Structure formats: C-alpha cells, structure tokens
Amino acid sequence: EFAIYEYQSDQAPITAVFENCLIKKKSSISSFIQCILNQNPLFTNNNQQDYTLQSGSPAIDAGKVGLNIFTDLKGNPRDEHPDIGAYEYE
C-alpha cells in the first residue's frame, strides 16, 4: 500500500499521470486517466502475494493498449487488450 499526494507549490510542478490503473482512493486526483476506482481487483490470493487475476476481475482487458509489452512477469503473452497489472489473465 502506498499514498499519492497532490499539492501546489511555487517550485516547478511535478507531473505524474496514472493511466489505465485500478486504484482504491479516498479523494479525487486529476491525474487519473481511464482508471478503475474503488473496485476489488479479484487477485487470486492477497495473503500469499499471488496477484494473478481471477475470472471476472475488472482489470481484465483494461490495460493501456499500444505499450509494446508483449509478455507478463511469468512470460505469458499479452494480447491486443492487455490486462492491468503484472500478470495477464490466462
């Protein structure tokens, strides 16, 4: 778990954009683009750090298209509609 803070400053702005993410959030942040908010990702087993996706996960086919990342962390091929996260749903 981590926190994202958005603040104003007199210094040069820091721009962070999050696209095609599945995020649990408490407040609105303008830098979220096409993100899925506050939904259960349906990981296989959080307690055992198994972040592969279960059937019905909102992350399936919701990743950013056109990144030219052809495999997931297990070496499985990503299709033309990639999934959000490190693992493509099999």
Side-chain angles (χ1 to χ4, degrees):
E1 186 172 314
F2 65 95
I4 299 170
Y5 298 97
E6 193 174 50
Y7 62 93
Q8 299 294 323
S9 169
D10 293 336
Q11 304 296 318
I14 297 172
T15 303
V17 175
F18 298 85
E19 291 186 65
N20 299 81
C21 300
L22 194 150
I23 297 174
K24 182 177 181 181
K25 68 181 193 83
K26 293 181 182 178
S27 62
S28 177
I29 296 178
S30 62
S31 58
F32 292 162
I33 299 169
Q34 294 186 19
C35 293
I36 298 169
L37 305 175
N38 300 316
Q39 290 188 35
N40 183 344
L42 296 176
F43 293 134
T44 299
N45 192 326
N46 288 351
N47 294 332
Q48 294 181 0
Q49 298 179 342
D50 181 352
Y51 301 116
T52 56
L53 303 173
Q54 295 182 57
S55 176
S57 169
I60 295 172
D61 293 341
K64 185 168 176 72
V65 175
L67 291 179
N68 296 325
I69 300 172
F70 302 108
T71 59
D72 68 8
L73 283 182
K74 291 184 173 184
N76 296 318
R78 292 201 183 260
D79 59 24
E80 64 275 3
H81 299 286
D83 302 336
I84 292 175
Y87 305 104
E88 189 75 4
Y89 178 72
E90 298 177 35

